[in-house]
Amino acid sequence: MPSESPADVVRELRKHLNESLAAQFFATEGLQHMRNQLQQIRPDPSNPNPKVMLGYGKPVGPNPPHYASLPRSTAVYHLRRNGEVEDRLGQQWIVAFCSTWDEEFRLRLEAAHGCPENAIRVDAFGDLRLMRHDIVHGRGQASLANTGRCKVLHWFRPPHCIRPSMPQLGELPDLVPWAALEQGPWPRP
């Protein structure tokens, strides 16, 4: 099997970043659509704040199958722009992207360049990794030890919550040194 070139890996990385940002955009915009739908529901006066059942299948019988439920007012509040659900989606995007960079693309790029593991570094991706640590191990709160050490993504200051927005995430493609990733030079063993 022929080895892949750095240009091949960079092309796939660009595609992955673009598609994952597009998915994040569609998800966050979908939240607003869902919020609008919930706001249009006219509740029965005897139950002005009914539970919103989130589930699968047809909601029949007294106990329809569902995996979560929230009072309507709580769901509408959490679905607001820059609300809790959007925050979680942004945090999950950071965690997922960091895993893909660290466990797939960086390894492939290092192999394509013939350099040792962890030789290739991208400041913006390193900053995401610092945020990821605070998301996973610090309940999403920026710390001085991690997010406070970001080199280029100065989006959050300790001790504030890490709440990535689409405009912030949308900056990433312009902060990646695409030509350097493709051409190097990177240290060889």
Side-chain angles (χ1 to χ4, degrees), residues 28-36 79-81 86:
T28 56
E29 290 306 307
L31 298 176
Q32 298 314 301
H33 177 72
M34 176 60 78
R35 185 174 196 264
N36 292 340
L79 290 169
R80 74 192 184 285
R81 179 72 67 197
E86 193 171 319

Side-chain angles (χ1 to χ4, degrees), residues 46-164:
S46 66
N47 185 10
N49 194 23
K51 279 192 176 181
V52 175
M53 307 293 274
L54 306 171
Y56 47 89
K58 293 184 178 182
V60 289
N63 295 311
H66 68 282
Y67 45 82
S69 65
L70 292 170
R72 180 179 162 268
S73 62
T74 302
V76 168
Y77 179 75
H78 288 318
L79 290 169
R80 74 192 184 285
R81 179 72 67 197
N82 300 314
E84 286 82 356
V85 178
E86 193 171 319
D87 292 347
R88 283 182 191 244
L89 286 174
Q91 291 176 349
Q92 290 170 352
W93 187 93
I94 288 173
V95 171
F97 184 81
C98 285
S99 295
T100 305
W101 165 247
D102 281 336
E103 297 170 26
E104 180 189 346
F105 286 106
R106 184 164 70 174
L107 296 175
R108 288 172 54 199
L109 200 52
E110 289 165 343
H113 278 293
C115 60
E117 198 172 305
N118 297 320
I120 296 178
R121 298 182 184 271
V122 175
D123 287 345
F125 297 165
D127 288 355
L128 289 175
R129 185 180 308 102
L130 293 168
M131 290 178 205
R132 178 210 166 276
H133 192 277
D134 284 340
I135 291 166
V136 172
H137 302 289
R139 295 184 165 186
Q141 185 173 351
S143 72
L144 284 172
N146 294 298
T147 304
R149 295 185 307 132
C150 287
K151 292 180 180 179
V152 294
L153 304 179
H154 303 286
W155 298 340
F156 313 106
R157 295 181 189 267
H160 296 188
C161 184
I162 296 171
R163 305 175 69 203

